[in-house]
């Protein structure tokens, strides 16, 4: 079936460093890839997304890259801040339907 | 409204009781999705609606789970004869259209089965 693998499961960085989270998807028909940030006890918040006709997208300190051939996409956070600490989820939109298939999440800790 | 509104925030039920959760999508959004997030953070898709029509129910446990989206009413997710493993946070999300559109999530309902 469709699945999304996400690595690493935990990531610890010093404030100011960069953080990279990687995902691989299985459904070659997937065409939309959002990233969500979820703080403890809160809703998932969409932080950036990318469509399959684009290879890279950037929004201030956050960027996402997509390699359709390899079925990989990655989240890059530069100049990390303590408030970036949260669980980050990648997802892919199933080709046939609108449902999102989520990765297992990455717990990011940014230490001052 | 401008946000997906879910009620209640927390619901406690004894095993075997019924649980009913509600979701009001963002105004103007045609698609509603229900996801279950269990303790290990994993999201499981349950069901989606296009307006009041079921769009995709491939994730719904057939026996005890049901859902509706009726005109001029919040959408609902109902669980009959709850089991301990139904304990989870249930998130509702909505999107404007089909296709490559962002899904915006509500705050979730934490269901605790005792």
């Amino acid at each position: 079936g469709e699945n999304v693998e996400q690595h690493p499961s935990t990531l610890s960085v010093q404030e100011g460093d960069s953080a990279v989270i990687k995902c691989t998807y299985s459904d070659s028909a997937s065409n939309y890839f959002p990233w969500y940030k979820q703080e403890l006890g809160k809703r998932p918040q969409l932080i950036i997304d990318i469509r399959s006709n684009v290879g890279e997208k950037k929004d201030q300190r956050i960027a996402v890259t997509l390699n359709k051939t390899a079925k990989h996409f990655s989240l890059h956070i530069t100049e990390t801040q303590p408030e970036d600490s949260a669980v980050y989820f990648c997802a892919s939109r199933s080709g046939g339907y609108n449902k999102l298939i989520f990765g297992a999440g990455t717990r990011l800790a940014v230490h001052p | 409204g401008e946000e997906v509104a879910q009620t209640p925030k927390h619901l406690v039920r004894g095993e075997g009781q019924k649980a009913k959760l509600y979701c009001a999508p963002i105004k103007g959004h045609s698609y509603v999705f229900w996801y279950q997030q269990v303790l290990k953070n994993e999201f499981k898709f349950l069901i989606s609606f296009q307006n009041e029509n079921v769009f995709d129910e491939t994730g719904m446990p057939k026996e005890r789970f049901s859902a509706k989206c009726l005109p001029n009413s919040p959408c609902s997710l109902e669980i009959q004869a709850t089991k301990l493993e139904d304990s989870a946070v249930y998130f509702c999300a909505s999107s404007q259209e089909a296709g490559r559109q962002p899904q915006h999530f509500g705050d979730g309902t934490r269901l605790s089965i005792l």
Side-chain angles (χ1 to χ4, degrees), chain A residues 10-52:
Chain A
T10 59
L11 182 58
S12 182
V13 299
Q14 291 297 125
E15 184 176 1
D17 287 351
S18 295
V20 180
I21 302 170
K22 298 181 179 183
C23 290
T24 303
Y25 60 97
S26 62
D27 183 1
S28 55
S30 295
N31 58 12
Y32 173 69
F33 306 91
W35 285 88
Y36 288 87
K37 174 184 179 183
Q38 188 178 29
E39 296 176 68
L40 189 62
K42 300 282 183 67
R43 70 175 71 182
Q45 284 195 305
L46 180 70
I47 56 171
I48 196 166
D49 57 11
I50 191 167
R51 291 167 176 78
S52 56

Side-chain angles (χ1 to χ4, degrees), chain A residues 46-102:
Chain A
L46 180 70
I47 56 171
I48 196 166
D49 57 11
I50 191 167
R51 291 167 176 78
S52 56
N53 56 344
V54 174
E56 185 173 356
K57 183 176 177 181
K58 191 173 180 181
D59 181 4
Q60 299 182 336
R61 297 186 297 109
I62 294 173
V64 57
T65 58
L66 172 64
N67 182 330
K68 284 174 57 180
T69 304
K71 292 192 275 187
H72 287 170
F73 58 114
S74 300
L75 178 72
H76 304 253
I77 306 175
T78 58
E79 299 171 28
T80 53
Q81 301 167 3
E83 50 266 39
D84 294 331
S85 297
V87 181
Y88 290 80
F89 291 92
C90 62
S92 71
R93 173 189 170 271
S94 169
Y97 296 91
N98 287 336
K99 66 183 177 185
L100 294 178
I101 308 298
F102 283 85

Side-chain angles (χ1 to χ4, degrees), chain B residues 1 22 34-36 47 49 55 60-61 64 69 72 76 82 89:
Chain B
Y22 297 92
W34 286 97
Y35 295 91
Q36 179 194 55
I47 191 169
F49 288 84
F55 190 75
M60 281 287 267
R64 300 182 296 108
C69 279
N72 303 314
S76 63
T82 52
V89 180

Side-chain angles (χ1 to χ4, degrees), chain B residues 28-58:
Chain B
H29 282 196
S30 304
Y31 286 82
V32 170
F33 305 82
W34 286 97
Y35 295 91
Q36 179 194 55
Q37 186 177 33
V38 294
L39 285 176
K40 287 189 174 182
N41 285 329
E42 293 181 9
F43 285 92
K44 178 189 173 188
F45 167 78
L46 295 175
I47 191 169
S48 64
F49 288 84
Q50 179 184 13
N51 297 311
E52 56 266 27
N53 303 306
V54 174
F55 190 75
D56 178 2
E57 57 182 349
T58 53

